[in-house]
Amino acid sequence: MRRARLLALLLPLIACSSSGGSGGGGDAGGAHCELATTLQWDGNAPLIAPISDATHNLLAVKDPSVVRFNDKWHVYASSVSTAGAYSTVYVSFADWAEAPTAPMYYMNQTSGFGGYTAAPQVFFFRPQNKWYLVYQAGPPMYSTANDLGDPTSWTLAAPFFAGTPAIVTQNGGGWLDYWVICDTASCHLFFTNNQGHWYKSKTSIDQFPNGFGEPVVVMQDANAGRILEATNVYKMNGTDQYLAIIEAFDQTSNNHRYFRSWIADSLEGPWLPWQASGSYPFAGERNVTFEGTAWTHDISHGEAIRAGYDETLAINPCNLRYLYQGADPMAETGGDYNKIPWRLGLITQRE
């Protein structure tokens, strides 16, 4: 019955109310909105590019996480140097028009962030009245802060797990792109492994960030490119449903990066495909339109603009916006992923 109910909900528009937002500062108005049966997006020129200085020679900025708090956008993202070294950066600005000129703070200037860090996710955890920065330093790590806007204030990295879970090792290792979302009872940690596996672990909300159990495989695909990386999971405001998107590439997208999507009425699943192929993507070259010549053919690792900033990760499923990484398709990389000159752009759902 539950699966039949979910299938019935996927066919029509999914009605919701955009009022209420998430408990962490929902910024929507009181109008009702709907998740469209299909998505079309409008893209713009890159908004955030790498900024170098005397000690940071950057090639790329990628993997952003973004929240709106205290009348500012706060973006934490990965950076890649010309030597292929990964780190993390922070920018903030009041309006997207200011993004291209916003100063960039290099997180390796913060104690404990001097080594490899990448793929950050930021949110406010209401039960503890703290900001959390989740990121990969190999395994999933986290830091906390009282002031989101002070990138020097994050605590030293701490692990979610004592070691690599057995199921990750059994499936070839390589876990990455960690994503935390909480409901009223539990906090769930999602991740992938670049080998076609999508995992989830959970702990009770009163134990977070401790107590995560052995991960389970949520979904897998024999074609590893179809469940690749960059998991996002959101609560859809005004509904009892969740939206998951995962980056992929395959023949349906001409091997360009795009996002597949699924919908469930619980973080435990089942997850049913919504827009889930390169020819019918959540976001990809097929449904993103740019003015003039497209500056990128890839819609890659990013984050949706949330309705708030807390651990429930609520979004309003209409007027969607998504901050993503793209790259010049003519760039010379020699086939090296770490030589791709990623930039951050914003796509907006077309009405």
Side-chain angles (χ1 to χ4, degrees):
M1 291 296 294
R2 179 174 172 178
R3 184 176 180 87
R5 171 180 174 268
L6 186 53
L7 281 168
L9 287 173
L10 287 173
L11 295 176
L13 299 182
I14 300 173
C16 69
S17 169
S18 65
S19 61
S22 74
D27 61 358
H32 290 272
C33 67
E34 298 175 333
L35 178 64
T37 52
T38 61
L39 287 174
Q40 295 292 323
W41 304 85
D42 290 317
N44 56 20
L47 292 173
I48 300 175
I51 299 173
S52 298
D53 69 4
T55 57
H56 301 86
N57 192 9
L58 301 188
L59 171 73
V61 59
K62 61 193 301 287
D63 313 328
S65 184
V66 55
V67 294
R68 180 77 175 178
F69 180 71
N70 281 353
D71 297 322
K72 281 189 174 183
W73 296 105
H74 301 264
V75 178
Y76 284 85
S78 304
S79 64
V80 187
S81 75
T82 54
Y86 278 70
S87 188
T88 312
V89 293
Y90 165 74
V91 294
S92 67
F93 41 88
D95 186 85
W96 287 104
E98 301 172 3
T101 57
M104 184 167 285
Y105 175 81
Y106 310 101
M107 287 292 291
N108 64 4
Q109 298 173 136
T110 297
S111 179
F113 284 79
Y116 168 81
T117 59
Q121 181 206 8
V122 66
F123 61 88
F124 185 72
F125 190 59
R126 289 175 299 162
Q128 297 173 4
N129 200 36
K130 288 181 182 178
W131 289 96
Y132 272 77
L133 190 66
V134 176
Y135 50 96
Q136 62 189 48
M141 309 293 281
Y142 69 88
S143 297
T144 65
N146 294 322
D147 183 357
L148 173 67
D150 180 3
T152 70
S153 67
W154 292 100
T155 60
L156 296 177
F160 285 108
F161 295 89
T164 303
I167 192 171
V168 173
T169 301
Q170 291 163 10
N171 287 327
W175 52 338
L176 78 167
D177 292 351
Y178 311 107
W179 185 266
V180 171
I181 180 173
C182 305
D183 55 27
T184 56
S186 304
C187 291
H188 304 251
L189 175 65
F190 289 90
F191 58 93
T192 56
N193 73 341
N194 271 169
Q195 298 177 61
H197 295 85
W198 183 32
Y199 298 90
K200 182 178 74 70
S201 177
K202 74 175 181 177
T203 186
S204 63
I205 198 165
D206 59 345
Q207 282 190 291
F208 181 81
N210 302 307
F212 277 99
E214 182 73 8
V216 297
V217 175
V218 179
M219 195 181 305
Q220 64 185 82
D221 197 303
N223 181 343
R226 288 179 53 78
I227 297 180
L228 187 68
E229 56 193 18
T231 296
N232 293 173
V233 183
Y234 299 102
K235 175 69 170 62
M236 293 194 289
N237 267 348
T239 78
D240 294 324
Q241 294 185 306
Y242 293 85
L243 172 70
I245 67 173
I246 300 177
E247 184 174 342
F249 70 92
D250 56 32
Q251 289 183 340
T252 68
S253 67
N254 294 320
N255 289 319
H256 296 312
R257 301 298 185 105
Y258 73 99
F259 281 97
R260 304 176 69 200
S261 59
W262 294 262
I263 293 176
D265 57 6
S266 165
L267 287 169
E268 302 291 355
W271 294 93
L272 298 183
W274 178 40
Q275 301 200 168
S277 76
S279 55
Y280 192 60
F282 174 82
E285 187 176 28
R286 297 280 182 91
N287 65 342
V288 176
T289 302
F290 295 91
E291 289 188 13
T293 302
W295 69 273
T296 180
H297 295 319
D298 296 288
I299 306 298
S300 182
H301 194 142
E303 187 180 4
I305 303 301
R306 301 180 218 160
Y309 49 82
D310 71 16
E311 75 282 354
T312 63
L313 303 190
I315 60 169
N316 290 322
C318 67
N319 302 318
L320 292 169
R321 290 181 291 170
Y322 195 83
L323 184 66
Y324 69 99
Q325 66 183 35
D328 178 358
M330 302 304 292
E332 293 292 338
T333 66
D336 184 347
Y337 180 84
N338 293 326
K339 297 296 184 183
I340 299 175
W342 298 105
R343 307 289 186 266
L344 303 184
L346 189 69
I347 52 174
T348 301
Q349 182 184 357
R350 189 180 307 157
E351 296 182 0

